[in-house]
Amino acid sequence: GAVVSQHPSRVICKSGTSVKIECRSLDFQATTMFWYRQFPKQSLMLMATSNEGSKATYEQGVEKDKFLINHASLTLSTLTVTSAHPEDSSFYICSARYFGTGRDNEQFFGPGTRLTVL
Amino acid sequence: AQTVTQSQPEMSVQEAETVTLSCTYDTSESDYYLFWYKQPPSRQMILVIRQEAYKQQNATENRFSVNFQKAAKSFSLKISDSQLGDAAMYFCASMNRDDKIIFGKGTRLHILP
């Protein structure tokens, strides 16, 4: 159990277009999801916290108008990269915090989405 | 603010031997969690081991164990009987009560056959 999926796994888009990435918790509910960005050979950097039914909170230096987050249900959060540029090319990873008892704040990570902006 | 420091960018170990990966952290909170994650070439993050700060006993998971030194803010990972499948990037991480996980820069572990 405790599987998190991301769609698409990889996407290539043209500069100036918008791209939506989905993060789903498949077999559990998640009131909170997190979005990370990982550049090649670097660590994961937390971008924002996505809360079901409320606005996302962004880490310092992350443009909220650039990276739109919507957490519409207890199993789905979406990250939209608006007006993408080549410098937005990266690996985006989400994690979902288990909602309920018995899991002790455990978070589960999706497999990631590789975004390439031409 | 939380910080996590991994000072070993790369390490190598002979198959079947033991290796220790170092990690130090800093946090102003008294209630927090510490983790080691493995990221293989697939880039899927895999939880290796977790430690609750309030627990004095070091966590163990089969061949993986930690040395948690709370006063020194040190959290090292020991891998015993290293296997080829252990080759990966290993990230040390901390999480405060806000559930935000902060990662170190990682240590790439090579297993020598």
Side-chain angles (χ1 to χ4, degrees), chain A residues 38-43, chain B residues 6-13 19 21 36-37 39-43 79 86-91 105-111:
Chain A
Q38 186 178 29
F39 289 110
K41 298 186 179 181
Q42 292 190 24
S43 186
Chain B
Q6 293 179 252
S7 57
Q8 305 155 314
E10 290 193 56
M11 290 198 69
S12 297
V13 63
V19 63
L21 308 184
W36 278 97
Y37 283 91
Q39 188 180 43
S42 68
R43 304 191 77 169
I79 305 175
D86 295 335
M89 196 74 170
Y90 286 81
F91 292 101
K105 291 188 175 182
T107 297
R108 182 166 299 282
L109 179 63
H110 303 277
I111 310 295

Side-chain angles (χ1 to χ4, degrees), chain B residues 7 14 20 22 24 43 64 73 81-83 99 104:
Chain B
S7 57
Q14 208 75 36
T20 299
S22 302
T24 59
R43 304 191 77 169
F64 300 87
K73 293 185 177 177
D81 185 24
S82 297
Q83 300 175 0
D99 290 338

Side-chain angles (χ1 to χ4, degrees), chain A residues 11-67:
Chain A
V11 56
I12 301 172
C13 70
K14 292 183 179 180
S15 186
T17 61
S18 295
V19 174
K20 181 186 285 187
I21 303 170
E22 293 185 347
C23 177
R24 290 182 185 273
S25 55
L26 298 185
D27 50 2
F28 67 100
Q29 292 182 327
T31 52
T32 305
M33 293 183 175
F34 301 88
W35 288 95
Y36 296 84
R37 184 173 182 176
Q38 186 178 29
F39 289 110
K41 298 186 179 181
Q42 292 190 24
S43 186
L44 283 73
M45 297 297 296
L46 179 64
M47 298 175 65
T49 303
S50 170
N51 298 294
E52 188 268 335
S54 65
K55 289 185 178 180
T57 56
Y58 293 81
E59 296 301 301
Q60 191 171 11
V62 178
E63 300 176 59
K64 62 180 181 180
D65 295 329
K66 174 77 170 174
F67 300 99

